[in-house]
Amino acid sequence: MAVASELSPALISKLTASKAASISLATLTTSQKNGALLAIADAIDASVPEILVANAHDLEAGTANGLTVGLLDRLTFDATRLANLSEAVRDLVKLTDPVGQVVHGMDMPNGVHLAQVRVPFGVIGAIYEARPNVTVDIAALALKSGNAVVLRGGSAAENSNRILVDIIQGALVATGLPAEAVQTIDELGREGARQLMAARGYVDVLIPRGSASLINTVVLESKVPVIETGAGVVHIVLDESANLEWAIDIVHNSKVQRPSVCNALETILVLESAAQRLLPFVLEKLVTSGVTIHGDERTREIFSRAVAVTEEDWGTEHMSLDVSVRVVASLEEAIEHIRTYSTHHTESIITNDVGNAEMFLAQVDSAVVMVNASTRFTDGGEFGFGAEVGISTQKLHARGPMGLAELTSTKWLVRGSGQIRG
Amino acid sequence: MAVASELSPALISKLTASKAASISLATLTTSQKNGALLAIADAIDASVPEILVANAHDLEAGTANGLTVGLLDRLTFDATRLANLSEAVRDLVKLTDPVGQVVHGMDMPNGVHLAQVRVPFGVIGAIYEARPNVTVDIAALALKSGNAVVLRGGSAAENSNRILVDIIQGALVATGLPAEAVQTIDELGREGARQLMAARGYVDVLIPRGSASLINTVVLESKVPVIETGAGVVHIVLDESANLEWAIDIVHNSKVQRPSVCNALETILVLESAAQRLLPFVLEKLVTSGVTIHGDERTREIFSRAVAVTEEDWGTEHMSLDVSVRVVASLEEAIEHIRTYSTHHTESIITNDVGNAEMFLAQVDSAVVMVNASTRFTDGGEFGFGAEVGISTQKLHARGPMGLAELTSTKWLVRGSGQIRG
């Protein structure tokens, strides 16, 4: 099953070491994993000056290479960000270890005991862009869930990633764990990423993190199974019976609280029977927070400060203070719009009509479907998972916010006393 | 995300109809789905002569094309096989409908209610070889789990598949369901199968069924997520402390009861400290049932009727009355052998040593790991699932025997009363 012919000896050597490390990791106790996490957090705290020096090299190169302000910001460490990073690692210690949890258990009629238990995947591959915090984040999540991890970060963060992996490996060895539990293949460049996607049999699952285009490439090219964390073209429907206050507050919160994240609102669909009653207030509140309204013709008739929406807007994840607005004839038309343009992340309806609420919940095919709640609640932390691995927009394995359990597989343990099949 | 440029208009038209049908199917009640299943079973019973005529055309062509006896047997329908097929469809009526089951549910501290519920995938693609019973089997499983299905069967079964799909569609329409819930693309030939693998965005999951080479091709080439049901190179370890009677009976049952299936035993690994005590009796019992023993040197010293095992044997799923036997120095060496040659389907150890049993359960990375039980128990029916979709040897989504629940995804339903994120 492995496509070994496409893999360089350097990569095979690293991946073989990852697999060997994963075998040790799979049988560690929670205490051993927690000890390693605390050692990693302490080591980051103790190495702040060195990390900042490495990061400064990346920032210097990034500036010279003309990275945008946004990308440079994502690349930047400072003392506060590093403190938050080590604190996030410590937070994982408190979380329940998913490994060993019994998902199902029953006895067969002949007395054979069956238990389906959570086990680590084995080796997780991570492909991401110039956000060096992801290096620590993914390594810590993988470790807590008993997985070895092979990291391919963006070349723009190469120096930051290298020192972080060195620090993590030092902490692993100091606590008796194999250094190869966390490895980087950044030195293999783009070709390394391409080969990682072909490393079926060596890598059990691949997690891409970053832009839609990065994720799309990995999803389409990888021969290793992928957990897809996708973009959010998120919709809110304002039903005829929508409570005005809820509509104003939920739309505002969904759009404005943190516009750059995937659960932020992109499109409002309002029933025409409620447009005149709701839109002036809902949109006014948005405008006071600096939101640009991209409206269809009827929206602009009702709210003259709206600019004309384009066909492209409907499918765009703005990640900015922009919102698209359409007046629809019916709830069916709203659902049809969502079917056409949604990325199946999160959609919410504001309604007081029980039938319409249930219809929306049943017919909208998204990872999270809401009634009368802010789309910003689609979040591992809000859902009580403690840590968030990402928000899956695929249908296989995991859908919606993912916690540590989503970094595990299962296996069936069967305990008999000589039984054979009749 | 869809790779639409690679898809023919004929396929896009069919897949669009499948998606539309899947939207209706997702909200059917269990009674409606059961009604359609009963209608399908009745329609098969009422059409036995026509099905046998179509099947005879396939058999005639298959004979002319030189199909092997085994392939012709798989292709063959008779009155008994058709009766079993319709009965298997009726059996699905009794099973619990997975759609709507709440997997997790909790309230957020602010009073928002969360429920993770099972929902159909949407459109399932099935690629399989010349076994026309799979056409009915997959269609019925998909229907019960609320999914539309697009079938690509082997060309050798084209006539049988066509009449079965006609019969199924007739029964669907007669019970008020969309005919497009079950479609075949056999008329598009091999190119249809290739395009189906590229139909990301149209098809939610692809299930290949058949030979290892078919499954391998689909797994490596598909851009649609795949549920892999793999081959079984299944091992039994005879530990130093193994009970002789259990070793004899479990090995015999695992190898001989049905050698052509994936949970049948392929390799015995015996601890050298127990080889002299166990092998003569264990192998004698096999030989009396016609099994050919492929032994390593030490096995042949103990049991002279063994032929020499080859390196290739260790990795082969014989599916016949052949078994490979190796004497190992330690349990660690046995586990290392399994790591090298297993397809991660099922492995069992016969032991009375608690420590060794737990070590085996913890360290062997297979879908099903057993102690003192026959490997033949790895089966959806034996596990109490009622129906079996297949046995997954992948780690994502489903691992081990799959029931109806494994043909579903989940979504989160969030019910609030105006809550926004603080």
Side-chain angles (χ1 to χ4, degrees), chain A residues 121 200 216 364 395 411, chain B residues 1 121 228 364 395 411:
Chain A
F121 279 126
R200 197 176 174 95
N216 205 18
V364 172
K395 291 186 178 177
K411 74 180 176 190
Chain B
M1 191 56 73
F121 278 125
E228 182 184 353
V364 173
K395 292 186 178 178
K411 73 180 176 190

Side-chain angles (χ1 to χ4, degrees), chain B residues 252-381:
Chain B
H252 186 265
N253 185 251
S254 299
K255 179 70 253 182
V256 173
Q257 200 210 17
R258 204 171 165 205
S260 66
V261 293
C262 60
N263 59 22
L265 172 66
E266 302 298 348
T267 299
I268 301 166
L269 301 169
V270 59
L271 273 285
E272 61 184 2
S273 51
Q276 195 64 60
R277 177 174 70 88
L278 301 172
L279 279 190
F281 302 98
V282 168
L283 301 184
E284 181 64 38
K285 176 85 178 267
L286 290 176
V287 165
T288 60
S289 292
V291 175
T292 302
I293 314 294
H294 302 251
D296 70 349
E297 199 176 326
R298 280 184 285 179
T299 299
R300 298 201 306 279
E301 285 165 17
I302 295 169
F303 193 79
S304 60
R305 279 165 290 166
V307 302
V309 70
T310 65
E311 171 64 25
E312 201 189 342
D313 281 326
W314 301 126
T316 300
E317 187 182 25
H318 294 292
M319 313 205 98
S320 59
L321 288 172
D322 292 87
V323 73
S324 308
V325 187
R326 179 178 168 190
V327 178
V328 292
S330 63
L331 183 53
E332 287 77 6
E333 191 177 322
I335 292 174
E336 189 55 40
H337 179 104
I338 290 170
R339 219 165 257 152
T340 307
Y341 297 103
S342 171
T343 54
H344 311 291
H345 185 294
T346 300
E347 331 294 341
S348 185
I349 185 171
I350 318 300
T351 184
N352 275 325
D353 184 300
V354 169
N356 287 354
E358 293 306 315
M359 175 179 163
F360 191 78
L361 289 170
Q363 293 194 10
V364 173
D365 182 30
S366 297
V368 185
V369 189
M370 299 179 164
V371 176
N372 296 328
S374 168
T375 60
R376 290 277 296 124
F377 287 125
T378 298
D379 176 274

